[in-house]
Amino acid sequence: MTVTDELVHVVLVEWADGAPADVAEQATRLSREHLPRIDGVLSVSSGESVGGEQLEAGFDWMLVVRFRDRAALDGYLPHPSHQPVSAYLRDASARVVVFDIAA
């Protein structure tokens, strides 16, 4: 197994009661529009579960961001292009889980 410096940032979101009907589409649009602008972001994927296991534990939507290295992840959180996505998710969610792993 080859270990790289890449990191994977996973965000699971449960939408709040009363969130707009298009909340997932808006979150995906914002993520794809803003996050790739951040230096060190290699890819952005998001969406609702399409699996059949039904083990989502109440989570409705997931965001996955791949980073070049730890410095890129560290620069992501305070970056201005992260702020609209973070604010939207914070305002529209009942629960958020973030999990980062080495790729």
Side-chain angles (χ1 to χ4, degrees):
M1 182 169 106
T2 303
V3 177
T4 69
D5 290 337
E6 291 181 17
L7 295 174
V8 178
H9 177 72
V10 176
V11 180
L12 296 170
V13 178
E14 177 185 350
W15 301 124
D17 290 339
D22 67 343
V23 66
E25 291 84 7
Q26 290 302 320
T28 294
R29 182 188 61 76
L30 284 168
S31 298
R32 291 181 181 164
E33 178 182 335
H34 292 282
L35 300 183
R37 298 177 184 169
I38 301 171
D39 183 50
V41 169
L42 302 176
S43 66
V44 176
S45 303
S46 61
E48 298 171 329
S49 178
V50 296
E53 296 94 352
Q54 298 185 357
L55 296 174
E56 291 84 1
F59 291 101
D60 301 302
W61 184 83
M62 184 173 89
L63 170 67
V64 179
V65 183
R66 292 186 70 90
F67 293 95
R68 176 185 59 230
D69 53 25
R70 180 66 195 208
L73 174 61
D74 291 344
Y76 164 83
L77 296 175
H79 196 283
S81 290
H82 175 249
Q83 301 313 307
V85 177
S86 176
Y88 187 81
L89 295 180
R90 183 179 52 250
D91 293 346
S93 66
R95 183 171 58 137
V96 175
V97 171
V98 176
F99 206 94
D100 300 319
I101 63 166

